[in-house]
mmCIF file of all heavy atoms in Angstrom:
data_model
loop_
_atom_site.group_PDB
_atom_site.id
_atom_site.type_symbol
_atom_site.label_atom_id
_atom_site.label_comp_id
_atom_site.label_asym_id
_atom_site.label_seq_id
_atom_site.Cartn_x
_atom_site.Cartn_y
_atom_site.Cartn_z
ATOM 1 N N TYR A 1 2.336 -20.712 -5.108
ATOM 2 C CA TYR A 1 1.481 -21.892 -5.251
ATOM 3 C C TYR A 1 2.294 -23.142 -5.588
ATOM 4 O O TYR A 1 1.828 -24.264 -5.385
ATOM 5 C CB TYR A 1 0.424 -21.649 -6.327
ATOM 6 C CG TYR A 1 -0.726 -20.789 -5.845
ATOM 7 C CD1 TYR A 1 -0.912 -19.498 -6.333
ATOM 8 C CD2 TYR A 1 -1.625 -21.275 -4.892
ATOM 9 C CE1 TYR A 1 -1.956 -18.709 -5.884
ATOM 10 C CE2 TYR A 1 -2.673 -20.489 -4.438
ATOM 11 C CZ TYR A 1 -2.833 -19.207 -4.939
ATOM 12 O OH TYR A 1 -3.863 -18.423 -4.488
ATOM 13 N N THR A 2 3.513 -22.972 -6.089
ATOM 14 C CA THR A 2 4.339 -24.132 -6.430
ATOM 15 C C THR A 2 4.875 -24.821 -5.179
ATOM 16 O O THR A 2 4.805 -26.049 -5.048
ATOM 17 C CB THR A 2 5.523 -23.714 -7.316
ATOM 18 O OG1 THR A 2 5.033 -23.072 -8.491
ATOM 19 C CG2 THR A 2 6.359 -24.923 -7.711
ATOM 20 N N VAL A 3 5.382 -24.032 -4.232
ATOM 21 C CA VAL A 3 5.976 -24.621 -3.012
ATOM 22 C C VAL A 3 4.989 -24.669 -1.856
ATOM 23 O O VAL A 3 5.269 -25.286 -0.832
ATOM 24 C CB VAL A 3 7.242 -23.848 -2.606
ATOM 25 C CG1 VAL A 3 8.293 -23.953 -3.688
ATOM 26 C CG2 VAL A 3 6.922 -22.385 -2.324
ATOM 27 N N GLN A 4 3.846 -23.962 -1.983
ATOM 28 C CA GLN A 4 2.779 -24.009 -0.986
ATOM 29 C C GLN A 4 3.243 -23.575 0.406
ATOM 30 O O GLN A 4 2.995 -24.252 1.409
ATOM 31 C CB GLN A 4 2.189 -25.423 -0.914
ATOM 32 C CG GLN A 4 1.450 -25.858 -2.162
ATOM 33 C CD GLN A 4 0.094 -25.168 -2.306
ATOM 34 O OE1 GLN A 4 -0.771 -25.280 -1.438
ATOM 35 N NE2 GLN A 4 -0.096 -24.456 -3.404
ATOM 36 N N GLN A 5 3.925 -22.423 0.474
ATOM 37 C CA GLN A 5 4.299 -21.879 1.776
ATOM 38 C C GLN A 5 4.573 -20.383 1.660
ATOM 39 O O GLN A 5 4.866 -19.875 0.577
ATOM 40 C CB GLN A 5 5.526 -22.587 2.339
ATOM 41 C CG GLN A 5 6.804 -22.364 1.549
ATOM 42 C CD GLN A 5 7.979 -23.106 2.148
ATOM 43 O OE1 GLN A 5 7.821 -24.064 2.898
ATOM 44 N NE2 GLN A 5 9.188 -22.661 1.832
ATOM 45 N N TRP A 6 4.442 -19.693 2.815
ATOM 46 C CA TRP A 6 4.766 -18.273 2.874
ATOM 47 C C TRP A 6 6.269 -18.094 2.989
ATOM 48 O O TRP A 6 6.957 -18.901 3.630
ATOM 49 C CB TRP A 6 4.089 -17.624 4.082
ATOM 50 C CG TRP A 6 2.620 -17.448 3.946
ATOM 51 C CD1 TRP A 6 1.638 -18.192 4.556
ATOM 52 C CD2 TRP A 6 1.951 -16.449 3.174
ATOM 53 N NE1 TRP A 6 0.400 -17.722 4.196
ATOM 54 C CE2 TRP A 6 0.559 -16.648 3.352
ATOM 55 C CE3 TRP A 6 2.376 -15.415 2.342
ATOM 56 C CZ2 TRP A 6 -0.391 -15.854 2.733
ATOM 57 C CZ3 TRP A 6 1.427 -14.618 1.717
ATOM 58 C CH2 TRP A 6 0.060 -14.841 1.920
ATOM 59 N N ALA A 7 6.786 -17.011 2.398
ATOM 60 C CA ALA A 7 8.208 -16.696 2.495
ATOM 61 C C ALA A 7 8.409 -15.194 2.357
ATOM 62 O O ALA A 7 7.571 -14.486 1.778
ATOM 63 C CB ALA A 7 8.998 -17.436 1.415
ATOM 64 N N ASN A 8 9.525 -14.712 2.910
ATOM 65 C CA ASN A 8 9.920 -13.334 2.647
ATOM 66 C C ASN A 8 10.449 -13.244 1.226
ATOM 67 O O ASN A 8 11.161 -14.140 0.759
ATOM 68 C CB ASN A 8 11.024 -12.895 3.622
ATOM 69 C CG ASN A 8 10.510 -12.737 5.031
ATOM 70 O OD1 ASN A 8 9.485 -12.106 5.258
ATOM 71 N ND2 ASN A 8 11.225 -13.302 5.996
ATOM 72 N N MET A 9 10.108 -12.159 0.552
ATOM 73 C CA MET A 9 10.573 -11.959 -0.811
ATOM 74 C C MET A 9 11.930 -11.274 -0.764
ATOM 75 O O MET A 9 12.053 -10.138 -0.335
ATOM 76 C CB MET A 9 9.572 -11.123 -1.605
ATOM 77 C CG MET A 9 8.225 -11.795 -1.770
ATOM 78 S SD MET A 9 7.025 -10.727 -2.592
ATOM 79 C CE MET A 9 7.804 -10.509 -4.189
ATOM 80 N N THR A 10 12.954 -11.982 -1.210
ATOM 81 C CA THR A 10 14.305 -11.437 -1.231
ATOM 82 C C THR A 10 14.919 -11.684 -2.597
ATOM 83 O O THR A 10 14.451 -12.528 -3.367
ATOM 84 C CB THR A 10 15.187 -12.088 -0.155
ATOM 85 O OG1 THR A 10 15.212 -13.510 -0.373
ATOM 86 C CG2 THR A 10 14.656 -11.805 1.240
ATOM 87 N N GLY A 11 15.960 -10.940 -2.898
ATOM 88 C CA GLY A 11 16.634 -11.116 -4.176
ATOM 89 C C GLY A 11 16.566 -9.859 -5.016
ATOM 90 O O GLY A 11 16.039 -8.823 -4.610
ATOM 91 N N THR A 12 17.086 -9.967 -6.217
ATOM 92 C CA THR A 12 17.177 -8.828 -7.125
ATOM 93 C C THR A 12 15.811 -8.415 -7.640
ATOM 94 O O THR A 12 14.991 -9.262 -8.014
ATOM 95 C CB THR A 12 18.089 -9.184 -8.320
ATOM 96 O OG1 THR A 12 19.338 -9.657 -7.815
ATOM 97 C CG2 THR A 12 18.320 -7.968 -9.210
ATOM 98 N N HIS A 13 15.552 -7.117 -7.654
ATOM 99 C CA HIS A 13 14.344 -6.527 -8.242
ATOM 100 C C HIS A 13 13.055 -6.902 -7.505
ATOM 101 O O HIS A 13 11.973 -6.791 -8.072
ATOM 102 C CB HIS A 13 14.209 -6.912 -9.721
ATOM 103 C CG HIS A 13 15.394 -6.535 -10.547
ATOM 104 N ND1 HIS A 13 15.918 -5.267 -10.554
ATOM 105 C CD2 HIS A 13 16.173 -7.277 -11.387
ATOM 106 C CE1 HIS A 13 16.955 -5.224 -11.375
ATOM 107 N NE2 HIS A 13 17.140 -6.433 -11.885
ATOM 108 N N VAL A 14 13.143 -7.388 -6.258
ATOM 109 C CA VAL A 14 11.933 -7.673 -5.492
ATOM 110 C C VAL A 14 11.654 -6.462 -4.605
ATOM 111 O O VAL A 14 11.929 -6.467 -3.399
ATOM 112 C CB VAL A 14 12.083 -8.962 -4.667
ATOM 113 C CG1 VAL A 14 10.766 -9.267 -3.942
ATOM 114 C CG2 VAL A 14 12.460 -10.119 -5.561
ATOM 115 N N ASP A 15 11.169 -5.419 -5.221
ATOM 116 C CA ASP A 15 10.843 -4.212 -4.483
ATOM 117 C C ASP A 15 9.843 -3.405 -5.306
ATOM 118 O O ASP A 15 9.443 -3.803 -6.402
ATOM 119 C CB ASP A 15 12.101 -3.378 -4.184
ATOM 120 C CG ASP A 15 12.914 -3.060 -5.444
ATOM 121 O OD1 ASP A 15 12.377 -3.230 -6.557
ATOM 122 O OD2 ASP A 15 14.069 -2.642 -5.319
ATOM 123 N N GLY A 16 9.413 -2.290 -4.744
ATOM 124 C CA GLY A 16 8.540 -1.394 -5.486
ATOM 125 C C GLY A 16 7.088 -1.801 -5.575
ATOM 126 O O GLY A 16 6.344 -1.250 -6.384
ATOM 127 N N LEU A 17 6.645 -2.744 -4.745
ATOM 128 C CA LEU A 17 5.225 -3.105 -4.725
ATOM 129 C C LEU A 17 4.491 -2.122 -3.813
ATOM 130 O O LEU A 17 4.965 -1.798 -2.732
ATOM 131 C CB LEU A 17 5.034 -4.534 -4.218
ATOM 132 C CG LEU A 17 5.763 -5.635 -4.993
ATOM 133 C CD1 LEU A 17 5.509 -6.987 -4.340
ATOM 134 C CD2 LEU A 17 5.331 -5.652 -6.455
ATOM 135 N N ARG A 18 3.320 -1.675 -4.246
ATOM 136 C CA ARG A 18 2.597 -0.663 -3.462
ATOM 137 C C ARG A 18 1.370 -1.278 -2.808
ATOM 138 O O ARG A 18 0.447 -1.748 -3.492
ATOM 139 C CB ARG A 18 2.203 0.512 -4.350
ATOM 140 C CG ARG A 18 1.403 1.598 -3.626
ATOM 141 C CD ARG A 18 1.310 2.865 -4.457
ATOM 142 N NE ARG A 18 0.270 3.770 -4.021
ATOM 143 C CZ ARG A 18 0.384 4.628 -3.007
ATOM 144 N NH1 ARG A 18 1.517 4.678 -2.320
ATOM 145 N NH2 ARG A 18 -0.613 5.440 -2.691
ATOM 146 N N PHE A 19 1.353 -1.260 -1.460
ATOM 147 C CA PHE A 19 0.216 -1.660 -0.636
ATOM 148 C C PHE A 19 -0.174 -0.458 0.216
ATOM 149 O O PHE A 19 0.702 0.196 0.789
ATOM 150 C CB PHE A 19 0.587 -2.816 0.285
ATOM 151 C CG PHE A 19 0.941 -4.108 -0.403
ATOM 152 C CD1 PHE A 19 2.198 -4.283 -0.962
ATOM 153 C CD2 PHE A 19 0.032 -5.148 -0.464
ATOM 154 C CE1 PHE A 19 2.545 -5.476 -1.581
ATOM 155 C CE2 PHE A 19 0.356 -6.349 -1.080
ATOM 156 C CZ PHE A 19 1.621 -6.514 -1.637
ATOM 157 N N VAL A 20 -1.478 -0.207 0.347
ATOM 158 C CA VAL A 20 -1.934 0.949 1.110
ATOM 159 C C VAL A 20 -3.120 0.555 1.995
ATOM 160 O O VAL A 20 -3.997 -0.204 1.562
ATOM 161 C CB VAL A 20 -2.369 2.118 0.192
ATOM 162 C CG1 VAL A 20 -2.630 3.378 1.015
ATOM 163 C CG2 VAL A 20 -1.320 2.399 -0.874
ATOM 164 N N VAL A 21 -3.130 1.070 3.227
ATOM 165 C CA VAL A 21 -4.266 0.909 4.139
ATOM 166 C C VAL A 21 -4.774 2.307 4.481
ATOM 167 O O VAL A 21 -3.997 3.165 4.909
ATOM 168 C CB VAL A 21 -3.861 0.163 5.422
ATOM 169 C CG1 VAL A 21 -5.060 0.035 6.369
ATOM 170 C CG2 VAL A 21 -3.297 -1.217 5.091
ATOM 171 N N TYR A 22 -6.064 2.540 4.281
ATOM 172 C CA TYR A 22 -6.690 3.829 4.583
ATOM 173 C C TYR A 22 -7.623 3.684 5.778
ATOM 174 O O TYR A 22 -8.255 2.633 5.955
ATOM 175 C CB TYR A 22 -7.525 4.323 3.399
ATOM 176 C CG TYR A 22 -6.765 4.517 2.115
ATOM 177 C CD1 TYR A 22 -6.660 3.485 1.184
ATOM 178 C CD2 TYR A 22 -6.164 5.740 1.813
ATOM 179 C CE1 TYR A 22 -5.973 3.662 -0.007
ATOM 180 C CE2 TYR A 22 -5.478 5.926 0.625
ATOM 181 C CZ TYR A 22 -5.393 4.883 -0.285
ATOM 182 O OH TYR A 22 -4.713 5.061 -1.464
ATOM 183 N N GLY A 23 -7.728 4.743 6.576
ATOM 184 C CA GLY A 23 -8.666 4.684 7.692
ATOM 185 C C GLY A 23 -8.559 5.868 8.617
ATOM 186 O O GLY A 23 -7.939 6.885 8.296
ATOM 187 N N ASP A 24 -9.155 5.719 9.796
ATOM 188 C CA ASP A 24 -9.182 6.762 10.811
ATOM 189 C C ASP A 24 -8.563 6.234 12.095
ATOM 190 O O ASP A 24 -8.911 5.137 12.554
ATOM 191 C CB ASP A 24 -10.622 7.198 11.120
ATOM 192 C CG ASP A 24 -11.332 7.746 9.902
ATOM 193 O OD1 ASP A 24 -10.686 8.475 9.136
ATOM 194 O OD2 ASP A 24 -12.528 7.444 9.725
ATOM 195 N N VAL A 25 -7.659 7.001 12.671
ATOM 196 C CA VAL A 25 -7.146 6.672 13.994
ATOM 197 C C VAL A 25 -8.251 6.917 15.017
ATOM 198 O O VAL A 25 -8.940 7.935 14.970
ATOM 199 C CB VAL A 25 -5.911 7.528 14.321
ATOM 200 C CG1 VAL A 25 -5.456 7.305 15.760
ATOM 201 C CG2 VAL A 25 -4.775 7.204 13.353
#
């Protein structure tokens, strides 16, 4: 919200976030 733009998250300790999508093929 400070810079008001999308970016890839890079750098130290930027990992381990859990996102999940459930459904049926």
